[in-house]
Amino acid sequence: MRKKKTIDVTGVPLTPSWHGRKCLGNGENPDYDCLCDECNYYLYCFPEFNWQIKKSRFKRRLKKLFKK
């Protein structure tokens, strides 16, 4: 995973890392609020989330739903 670093609108640098440990906006730093809900890179902090599995499950559900 390539490390991405972005600046939030409040000026806090956001750094996706394993479960957000290196990010200043992870809610554990007293100087900053938790910014995870606003972060565009939130899922990079959770590499166990597999998009391919989610996509295939979603496609199967759609097929079952619209099956004639």
Side-chain angles (χ1 to χ4, degrees):
M1 173 177 75
R2 198 170 101 208
K3 300 287 181 195
K4 294 188 177 197
K5 192 170 187 179
T6 186
I7 305 295
D8 187 52
V9 292
T10 59
V12 179
L14 302 174
T15 310
S17 55
W18 180 257
H19 294 273
R21 291 183 183 158
K22 295 181 182 178
C23 187
L24 291 176
N26 64 4
E28 295 180 3
N29 298 305
D31 299 333
Y32 305 108
D33 292 332
C34 182
L35 302 170
C36 293
D37 58 340
E38 301 169 2
C39 184
N40 292 335
Y41 304 105
Y42 178 73
L43 289 177
Y44 287 123
C45 293
F46 300 95
E48 63 270 10
F49 184 81
N50 188 341
W51 281 101
Q52 296 302 322
I53 291 173
K54 299 293 180 185
K55 282 182 186 177
S56 64
R57 286 182 186 165
F58 181 70
K59 285 180 183 178
R60 279 188 300 216
R61 287 182 187 157
L62 281 178
K63 284 181 182 178
K64 285 181 182 178
L65 184 64
F66 295 108
K67 197 173 183 180
K68 290 183 178 181

